[in-house]
């Protein structure tokens, strides 16, 4: 039989603080966790709408079929840096250009600058309204670069060191 992980005790207080009395509810459980079936449905739905940069990178490197990556930013942003192999369709031009450039049988993965920008969300909505299956790449171009993946710019191919707050320094996927 496969080994199972040992049971995990509740988290200990940080900084040596005395634990709160048992009757007190902490911030995390001030709203109770969802039932497991509800949680499974929620997280499955999120994965149907989102992809992370590591998964997008892995699919591009392996040549996995069925996906097209679309940079939805401005021309200046595209020139500053973009994912190799991505198409450039600014959000305002999706309705005009997508039918000419993207096979409707493909799943579109949109990205914009980063987590502080909802441009990829707006673009994903535009693609969905045109009848495309679509996912939004979490983290956008910012996290692509921060995870140390190469990118193209107006001056050539560039690559930044891995930001160890986003990925292992080894450059090997976190395998989440």
């Amino acid at each position: 039989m496969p080994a199972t992980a040992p049971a995990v005790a509740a988290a200990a207080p940080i900084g040596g603080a005395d634990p709160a009395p048992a009757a007190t509810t902490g911030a995390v459980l001030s709203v109770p966790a969802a039932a497991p079936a509800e949680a499974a449905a929620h997280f499955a739905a999120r994965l149907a709408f989102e992809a992370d940069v590591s998964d997008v990178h892995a699919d591009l490197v392996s040549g996995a079929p069925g996906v097209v990556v679309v940079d939805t930013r401005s021309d200046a942003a595209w020139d500053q840096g973009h994912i190799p192999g991505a198409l450039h369709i600014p959000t305002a031009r999706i309705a005009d250009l997508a039918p000419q450039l993207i096979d409707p049988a493909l799943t579109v993965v949109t990205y914009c600058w980063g987590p502080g920008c909802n441009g990829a969300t707006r673009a994903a909505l535009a693609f969905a309204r045109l009848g495309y299956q679509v996912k939004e790449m979490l983290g956008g171009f910012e996290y692509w670069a921060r995870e140390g993946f190469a990118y193209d710019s107006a001056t050539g191919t560039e690559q930044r060191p891995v930001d160890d707050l986003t990925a292992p320094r080894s450059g090997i996927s976190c395998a989440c």
Side-chain angles (χ1 to χ4, degrees):
M1 290 183 24
T4 57
V8 177
I14 296 174
D18 290 331
T24 302
T25 300
V28 172
L29 296 179
S30 64
V31 174
E38 291 177 71
H42 168 80
F43 294 117
R46 283 192 60 187
L47 291 171
F49 296 107
E50 302 168 347
D52 70 24
V53 296
S54 291
D55 290 344
V56 172
H57 180 263
D59 280 3
L60 290 174
V61 168
S62 73
V67 174
V68 60
V69 178
V70 178
D71 185 316
T72 66
R73 301 171 303 147
S74 68
D75 291 341
W78 171 265
D79 288 345
Q80 187 172 326
H82 57 273
I83 295 173
L87 291 179
H88 181 221
I89 307 177
T91 301
R93 308 239 14 239
I94 289 171
D96 296 331
L97 296 177
Q100 302 167 37
L101 300 174
I102 300 175
D103 180 344
L106 297 175
T107 296
V108 176
V109 177
T110 61
Y111 75 90
C112 197
W113 272 113
C117 173
N118 68 2
T121 305
R122 292 174 189 272
L125 175 60
F127 277 107
R129 285 180 171 162
L130 292 174
Y132 288 91
Q133 289 187 305
V134 62
K135 291 189 175 201
E136 178 181 3
M137 187 178 80
L138 296 176
F141 180 73
E142 175 188 347
Y143 276 72
W144 183 274
R146 290 179 72 187
E147 289 198 18
F149 298 132
Y151 57 92
D152 294 335
S153 72
T155 59
T157 300
E158 300 182 39
Q159 189 169 10
R160 294 174 181 237
V162 173
D163 178 339
D164 60 1
L165 294 177
T166 65
R169 288 184 197 132
S170 65
I172 298 170
S173 169
C174 67
C176 298

